[in-house]
Amino acid sequence: MQSLRNLLFPFSILYDGITRARNWAFDNGYLTQETFDIPVIAVGNLSTGGTGKTPMIEWLIEHFKGNRIAVLSRGYGRETKGYIEIENHHTAAQVGDEPLQIKLKYNDAIVSAVCEKRVDGIRELLKNHSIDIVLLDDAFQHRYVKASHYILLTSYDRLYSNDYLLPAGNLRESRKGANRAHTIVVTKCPENLSQAEMDSMIQQLKPLKNQKVYFSTIEYEKRVSQSNRSILLDELKFDKITAVTGIAKPAPFINFLKKQFEVEHLEYDDHHRFRESEIDIIAAQDIVITTEKDYTRLSPWDLPKVYYLPMEIRFLGDEPQFIVLDN
């Protein structure tokens, strides 16, 4: 692995130069950032995938319950372009799996849309709706919008402080990009994470004085669901199940299931688009448990033996507080 990093390191230097020039242009006004009259919270990361952005957005929706909330995503992997307000009849292919998951879960509580140009997306949302707050999903590097508050996520098993720039590592931009964050959340931590470990990671991350660092863990529900029903895991009359995943880091999901079942794992790439031949294999299983995100991509097919396992994040210790959000 180290030898491969050494081989790719010159390309990382080139990539670093490009991203630094871009950030310099934004910081010095050569590329324009737009602000809005309502709070805009941007959630994102420095690395590629797998840090738990969607659960963080869902936590924020719960946190700001009672306000008129809009969620705006790019809609990664969708087959469409431009601005689309998400409705229940949309598919993952039309709007992206994660935006669709959020909309289906919080249908009446939010306005949800996708648009690759976030400035245009926010303008459309404000033109069509009365909104109190906008949540931007996966927007830490999307600097044409200047958010009120930036939440930077980093995974417990690969802190950005220990990572390298693409292609030698997984970072989308230099670690110095973390300076834009107001809040840093270390995600996917063990439930029994000690204060000493937290302190050690804070030292590694080296936050600025104005930055708050929090720690969260994944918490799975004790029931599995389908579009119109749910059942307790204890009520599933199977010792062996098939797990289907098309996410960046499936290990926590698989490890949770292994506590209760013998697991056969059908693993696909993140945001995988299922083919008919793969659907035939999935349909032939006795019982299938998948993630909520994968379920949105499987839902166009009639798969009565497929369930999804809901999950959420839970903060270890103090939860982030957003009492005042100034633009």
Side-chain angles (χ1 to χ4, degrees):
M1 179 64 75
Q2 188 59 49
S3 60
L4 179 60
R5 283 200 183 118
N6 292 339
L7 183 65
L8 295 174
F9 189 70
F11 299 99
S12 293
I13 294 175
L14 176 62
Y15 183 81
D16 186 32
I18 295 170
T19 55
R20 282 179 187 267
R22 180 178 184 271
N23 282 327
W24 181 89
F26 277 113
D27 293 339
N28 291 277
Y30 291 97
L31 289 175
T32 303
Q33 293 183 287
E34 185 151 346
T35 58
F36 293 89
D37 292 333
I38 63 169
V40 176
I41 298 181
V43 175
N45 48 24
L46 294 185
S47 63
T48 54
T51 56
K53 295 181 292 293
T54 300
M56 187 70 227
I57 290 289
E58 292 180 352
W59 184 90
L60 288 167
I61 292 170
E62 295 285 353
H63 182 81
F64 289 111
K65 188 179 294 184
N67 293 281
R68 293 165 295 185
I69 302 168
V71 178
L72 179 62
S73 308
R74 176 180 53 163
Y76 180 84
R78 64 185 172 123
E79 298 173 349
T80 56
K81 297 291 184 182
Y83 177 83
I84 299 175
E85 284 193 21
I86 304 173
E87 303 293 345
N88 288 356
H89 62 79
H90 281 123
T91 66
Q94 293 171 322
V95 296
D97 49 12
E98 291 163 334
L100 182 59
Q101 172 189 326
I102 293 168
K103 176 59 179 177
L104 293 176
K105 197 168 186 175
Y106 296 98
N107 182 35
D108 297 326
I110 62 171
V111 177
S112 186
V114 291
C115 189
E116 56 271 28
K117 295 182 179 180
R118 311 299 174 89
V119 171
D120 293 347
I122 295 175
R123 287 174 179 165
E124 286 295 318
L125 284 166
L126 295 179
K127 182 174 72 174
N128 299 327
H129 303 277
S130 177
I131 292 169
D132 295 323
I133 183 169
V134 175
L135 306 179
L136 293 181
D137 183 24
D138 195 11
F140 199 78
Q141 280 79 34
H142 193 92
R143 300 200 59 192
Y144 290 99
V145 174
K146 186 173 184 180
S148 316
H149 195 98
Y150 288 92
I151 301 175
L152 176 61
L153 309 182
T154 185
S155 184
Y156 166 83
D157 62 354
R158 191 155 195 174
L159 301 178
Y160 61 75
S161 55
N162 302 329
D163 207 344
Y164 302 88
L165 273 165
L166 290 166
N170 296 306
L171 295 184
R172 298 172 173 178
E173 62 174 305
S174 165
R175 300 167 191 168
K176 290 185 178 180
N179 292 345
R180 297 197 302 275
H182 298 88
T183 299
I184 299 170
V185 181
V186 181
T187 62
K188 303 185 179 181
C189 297
E191 291 185 28
N192 58 351
L193 187 69
S194 69
Q195 186 61 53
E197 290 177 289
M198 293 182 189
D199 293 340
S200 174
M201 282 188 283
I202 291 173
Q203 289 180 356
Q204 294 175 60
L205 294 171
K206 297 182 174 61
L208 302 177
K209 288 183 179 180
N210 65 306
Q211 293 177 323
K212 300 288 187 181
V213 180
Y214 299 91
F215 299 86
S216 69
T217 189
I218 293 173
E219 198 163 77
Y220 292 100
E221 291 191 14
K222 295 181 179 179
R223 63 175 58 241
V224 288
S225 300
Q226 294 175 318
S227 57
N228 57 358
R229 67 185 291 244
S230 65
I231 184 173
L232 291 171
L233 281 171
D234 290 341
E235 294 177 3
L236 287 177
K237 305 303 181 184
F238 294 89
D239 296 323
K240 181 179 179 180
I241 61 99
T242 300
V244 173
T245 65
I247 57 177
K249 296 179 180 179
F253 174 76
I254 298 300
N255 291 337
F256 176 83
L257 291 176
K258 283 183 175 179
K259 294 177 183 178
Q260 191 158 342
F261 306 100
E262 181 183 347
V263 177
E264 179 184 352
H265 185 192
L266 298 180
E267 184 175 2
Y268 303 92
D269 292 337
D270 195 16
H271 302 283
H272 179 73
R273 292 183 182 178
F274 292 99
R275 298 186 292 268
E276 288 291 343
S277 59
E278 295 163 339
I279 294 299
D280 290 341
I281 293 171
I282 293 169
Q285 307 303 308
D286 291 330
I287 186 75
V288 173
I289 299 179
T290 189
T291 69
E292 200 164 358
K293 184 170 87 168
D294 290 307
Y295 191 80
T296 64
R297 282 180 276 115
L298 290 168
S299 57
W301 288 274
D302 182 21
L303 297 168
K305 293 185 288 186
V306 175
Y307 295 80
Y308 68 86
L309 179 64
M311 56 86 73
E312 61 183 9
I313 62 169
R314 177 171 60 84
F315 282 91
L316 304 172
D318 295 336
E319 290 190 349
Q321 297 296 319
F322 304 97
I323 300 172
V324 177
L325 290 167
D326 296 320
N327 280 50

Short mmCIF file of all heavy atoms in Angstrom, two decimals, residues 59-85:
data_model
loop_
_atom_site.label_atom_id
_atom_site.label_comp_id
_atom_site.label_asym_id
_atom_site.label_seq_id
_atom_site.Cartn_x
_atom_site.Cartn_y
_atom_site.Cartn_z
N TRP A 59 -30.51 13.62 11.18
CA TRP A 59 -30.43 14.13 12.56
C TRP A 59 -30.80 15.62 12.59
O TRP A 59 -31.52 16.08 13.48
CB TRP A 59 -29.02 13.91 13.12
CG TRP A 59 -28.89 14.31 14.57
CD1 TRP A 59 -29.10 13.53 15.66
CD2 TRP A 59 -28.55 15.62 15.06
NE1 TRP A 59 -28.90 14.27 16.82
CE2 TRP A 59 -28.57 15.56 16.48
CE3 TRP A 59 -28.23 16.83 14.46
CZ2 TRP A 59 -28.27 16.64 17.28
CZ3 TRP A 59 -27.94 17.94 15.26
CH2 TRP A 59 -27.96 17.82 16.65
N LEU A 60 -30.32 16.38 11.61
CA LEU A 60 -30.62 17.81 11.56
C LEU A 60 -32.10 18.06 11.31
O LEU A 60 -32.68 19.00 11.88
CB LEU A 60 -29.79 18.48 10.45
CG LEU A 60 -28.29 18.62 10.76
CD1 LEU A 60 -27.53 19.00 9.48
CD2 LEU A 60 -28.04 19.65 11.85
N ILE A 61 -32.72 17.22 10.49
CA ILE A 61 -34.17 17.35 10.27
C ILE A 61 -34.92 17.18 11.59
O ILE A 61 -35.85 17.94 11.90
CB ILE A 61 -34.65 16.33 9.22
CG1 ILE A 61 -34.08 16.67 7.84
CG2 ILE A 61 -36.18 16.29 9.15
CD1 ILE A 61 -34.31 15.60 6.80
N GLU A 62 -34.52 16.18 12.36
CA GLU A 62 -35.14 15.98 13.67
C GLU A 62 -34.83 17.14 14.60
O GLU A 62 -35.70 17.60 15.36
CB GLU A 62 -34.64 14.67 14.29
CG GLU A 62 -35.05 13.41 13.53
CD GLU A 62 -36.51 13.05 13.74
OE1 GLU A 62 -37.18 13.70 14.58
OE2 GLU A 62 -36.99 12.13 13.05
N HIS A 63 -33.60 17.63 14.56
CA HIS A 63 -33.16 18.71 15.45
C HIS A 63 -33.96 19.99 15.20
O HIS A 63 -34.30 20.71 16.14
CB HIS A 63 -31.67 18.96 15.24
CG HIS A 63 -31.10 20.02 16.13
ND1 HIS A 63 -30.73 19.78 17.43
CD2 HIS A 63 -30.85 21.34 15.91
CE1 HIS A 63 -30.25 20.88 17.98
NE2 HIS A 63 -30.32 21.85 17.09
N PHE A 64 -34.24 20.27 13.93
CA PHE A 64 -34.94 21.50 13.57
C PHE A 64 -36.43 21.28 13.35
O PHE A 64 -37.09 22.10 12.70
CB PHE A 64 -34.32 22.12 12.32
CG PHE A 64 -32.96 22.70 12.55
CD1 PHE A 64 -31.83 22.11 11.99
CD2 PHE A 64 -32.80 23.83 13.32
CE1 PHE A 64 -30.57 22.65 12.21
CE2 PHE A 64 -31.54 24.38 13.55
CZ PHE A 64 -30.42 23.79 12.98
N LYS A 65 -36.95 20.19 13.87
CA LYS A 65 -38.37 19.89 13.73
C LYS A 65 -39.21 21.08 14.22
O LYS A 65 -38.93 21.69 15.26
CB LYS A 65 -38.73 18.65 14.55
CG LYS A 65 -40.14 18.13 14.33
CD LYS A 65 -40.40 16.89 15.17
CE LYS A 65 -39.53 15.72 14.73
NZ LYS A 65 -39.85 14.47 15.50
N GLY A 66 -40.25 21.40 13.45
CA GLY A 66 -41.07 22.57 13.77
C GLY A 66 -40.78 23.75 12.88
O GLY A 66 -41.58 24.69 12.79
N ASN A 67 -39.61 23.73 12.23
CA ASN A 67 -39.27 24.74 11.24
C ASN A 67 -39.62 24.24 9.84
O ASN A 67 -39.81 23.05 9.62
CB ASN A 67 -37.77 25.06 11.31
CG ASN A 67 -37.37 25.73 12.60
OD1 ASN A 67 -37.58 26.93 12.78
ND2 ASN A 67 -36.81 24.97 13.52
N ARG A 68 -39.68 25.16 8.92
CA ARG A 68 -39.93 24.80 7.52
C ARG A 68 -38.57 24.50 6.88
O ARG A 68 -37.79 25.41 6.62
CB ARG A 68 -40.66 25.92 6.81
CG ARG A 68 -42.08 26.14 7.33
CD ARG A 68 -42.65 27.46 6.89
NE ARG A 68 -41.91 28.59 7.45
CZ ARG A 68 -42.24 29.86 7.31
NH1 ARG A 68 -43.33 30.18 6.62
NH2 ARG A 68 -41.51 30.83 7.85
N ILE A 69 -38.32 23.21 6.66
CA ILE A 69 -36.98 22.73 6.28
C ILE A 69 -36.96 22.34 4.81
O ILE A 69 -37.87 21.68 4.31
CB ILE A 69 -36.58 21.51 7.14
CG1 ILE A 69 -36.60 21.87 8.62
CG2 ILE A 69 -35.21 20.98 6.73
CD1 ILE A 69 -36.50 20.66 9.53
N ALA A 70 -35.89 22.75 4.13
CA ALA A 70 -35.63 22.27 2.77
C ALA A 70 -34.30 21.53 2.77
O ALA A 70 -33.34 21.97 3.41
CB ALA A 70 -35.59 23.42 1.78
N VAL A 71 -34.26 20.40 2.07
CA VAL A 71 -33.02 19.64 1.90
C VAL A 71 -32.67 19.66 0.42
O VAL A 71 -33.49 19.29 -0.43
CB VAL A 71 -33.18 18.18 2.38
CG1 VAL A 71 -31.89 17.41 2.15
CG2 VAL A 71 -33.58 18.14 3.86
N LEU A 72 -31.46 20.10 0.13
CA LEU A 72 -31.01 20.19 -1.26
C LEU A 72 -29.78 19.31 -1.45
O LEU A 72 -28.79 19.46 -0.72
CB LEU A 72 -30.70 21.63 -1.64
CG LEU A 72 -30.20 21.87 -3.07
CD1 LEU A 72 -31.26 21.47 -4.09
CD2 LEU A 72 -29.80 23.34 -3.26
N SER A 73 -29.84 18.43 -2.41
CA SER A 73 -28.74 17.53 -2.73
C SER A 73 -28.36 17.68 -4.20
O SER A 73 -29.13 18.21 -5.00
CB SER A 73 -29.13 16.07 -2.47
OG SER A 73 -29.66 15.89 -1.17
N ARG A 74 -27.19 17.19 -4.54
CA ARG A 74 -26.80 17.14 -5.95
C ARG A 74 -27.57 16.03 -6.66
O ARG A 74 -27.93 16.15 -7.83
CB ARG A 74 -25.29 16.89 -6.06
CG ARG A 74 -24.80 16.71 -7.49
CD ARG A 74 -23.31 16.48 -7.56
NE ARG A 74 -22.86 15.39 -6.71
CZ ARG A 74 -21.68 14.80 -6.85
NH1 ARG A 74 -20.84 15.19 -7.79
NH2 ARG A 74 -21.33 13.82 -6.05
N GLY A 75 -27.80 14.92 -5.94
CA GLY A 75 -28.45 13.78 -6.56
C GLY A 75 -27.45 12.90 -7.27
O GLY A 75 -27.61 12.59 -8.46
N TYR A 76 -26.43 12.49 -6.54
CA TYR A 76 -25.33 11.72 -7.14
C TYR A 76 -25.86 10.45 -7.83
O TYR A 76 -26.67 9.72 -7.27
CB TYR A 76 -24.32 11.33 -6.06
CG TYR A 76 -23.15 10.53 -6.58
CD1 TYR A 76 -22.05 11.16 -7.14
CD2 TYR A 76 -23.17 9.14 -6.53
CE1 TYR A 76 -20.99 10.44 -7.63
CE2 TYR A 76 -22.10 8.40 -7.03
CZ TYR A 76 -21.02 9.06 -7.57
OH TYR A 76 -19.97 8.34 -8.07
N GLY A 77 -25.39 10.22 -9.05
CA GLY A 77 -25.74 9.00 -9.76
C GLY A 77 -27.07 9.02 -10.48
O GLY A 77 -27.44 8.04 -11.13
N ARG A 78 -27.81 10.13 -10.42
CA ARG A 78 -29.11 10.17 -11.09
C ARG A 78 -28.94 10.29 -12.60
O ARG A 78 -27.90 10.75 -13.10
CB ARG A 78 -29.96 11.33 -10.55
CG ARG A 78 -29.40 12.72 -10.80
CD ARG A 78 -30.26 13.76 -10.11
NE ARG A 78 -29.67 15.09 -10.15
CZ ARG A 78 -30.28 16.14 -10.66
NH1 ARG A 78 -31.49 16.03 -11.20
NH2 ARG A 78 -29.72 17.33 -10.63
N GLU A 79 -29.96 9.91 -13.32
CA GLU A 79 -29.93 9.94 -14.78
C GLU A 79 -30.49 11.25 -15.33
O GLU A 79 -30.51 11.44 -16.55
CB GLU A 79 -30.74 8.76 -15.33
CG GLU A 79 -30.18 7.40 -14.93
CD GLU A 79 -31.08 6.25 -15.34
OE1 GLU A 79 -32.23 6.53 -15.75
OE2 GLU A 79 -30.63 5.09 -15.25
N THR A 80 -30.91 12.14 -14.46
CA THR A 80 -31.52 13.40 -14.87
C THR A 80 -30.56 14.56 -14.62
O THR A 80 -29.51 14.40 -13.99
CB THR A 80 -32.81 13.64 -14.08
OG1 THR A 80 -32.51 13.61 -12.67
CG2 THR A 80 -33.84 12.57 -14.39
N LYS A 81 -30.94 15.73 -15.09
CA LYS A 81 -30.16 16.95 -14.88
C LYS A 81 -31.08 18.06 -14.40
O LYS A 81 -32.29 18.02 -14.57
CB LYS A 81 -29.47 17.38 -16.18
CG LYS A 81 -28.46 16.40 -16.73
CD LYS A 81 -27.23 16.31 -15.85
CE LYS A 81 -26.19 15.39 -16.47
NZ LYS A 81 -25.00 15.25 -15.60
N GLY A 82 -30.47 19.09 -13.79
CA GLY A 82 -31.20 20.27 -13.42
C GLY A 82 -31.95 20.12 -12.10
O GLY A 82 -31.71 19.20 -11.32
N TYR A 83 -32.87 21.06 -11.89
CA TYR A 83 -33.61 21.15 -10.63
C TYR A 83 -34.84 20.26 -10.66
O TYR A 83 -35.64 20.34 -11.59
CB TYR A 83 -34.02 22.60 -10.38
CG TYR A 83 -34.86 22.81 -9.14
CD1 TYR A 83 -34.28 22.93 -7.89
CD2 TYR A 83 -36.25 22.88 -9.23
CE1 TYR A 83 -35.04 23.13 -6.76
CE2 TYR A 83 -37.03 23.08 -8.11
CZ TYR A 83 -36.42 23.19 -6.86
OH TYR A 83 -37.19 23.37 -5.75
N ILE A 84 -34.99 19.42 -9.65
CA ILE A 84 -36.17 18.57 -9.52
C ILE A 84 -36.59 18.56 -8.05
O ILE A 84 -35.77 18.26 -7.17
CB ILE A 84 -35.91 17.12 -9.96
CG1 ILE A 84 -35.50 17.05 -11.43
CG2 ILE A 84 -37.15 16.25 -9.72
CD1 ILE A 84 -35.12 15.65 -11.89
N GLU A 85 -37.86 18.89 -7.81
CA GLU A 85 -38.39 18.70 -6.46
C GLU A 85 -38.85 17.26 -6.34
O GLU A 85 -39.59 16.75 -7.18
CB GLU A 85 -39.56 19.67 -6.20
CG GLU A 85 -39.09 21.07 -5.93
CD GLU A 85 -40.19 21.96 -5.36
OE1 GLU A 85 -41.18 21.41 -4.82
OE2 GLU A 85 -40.05 23.19 -5.48
#
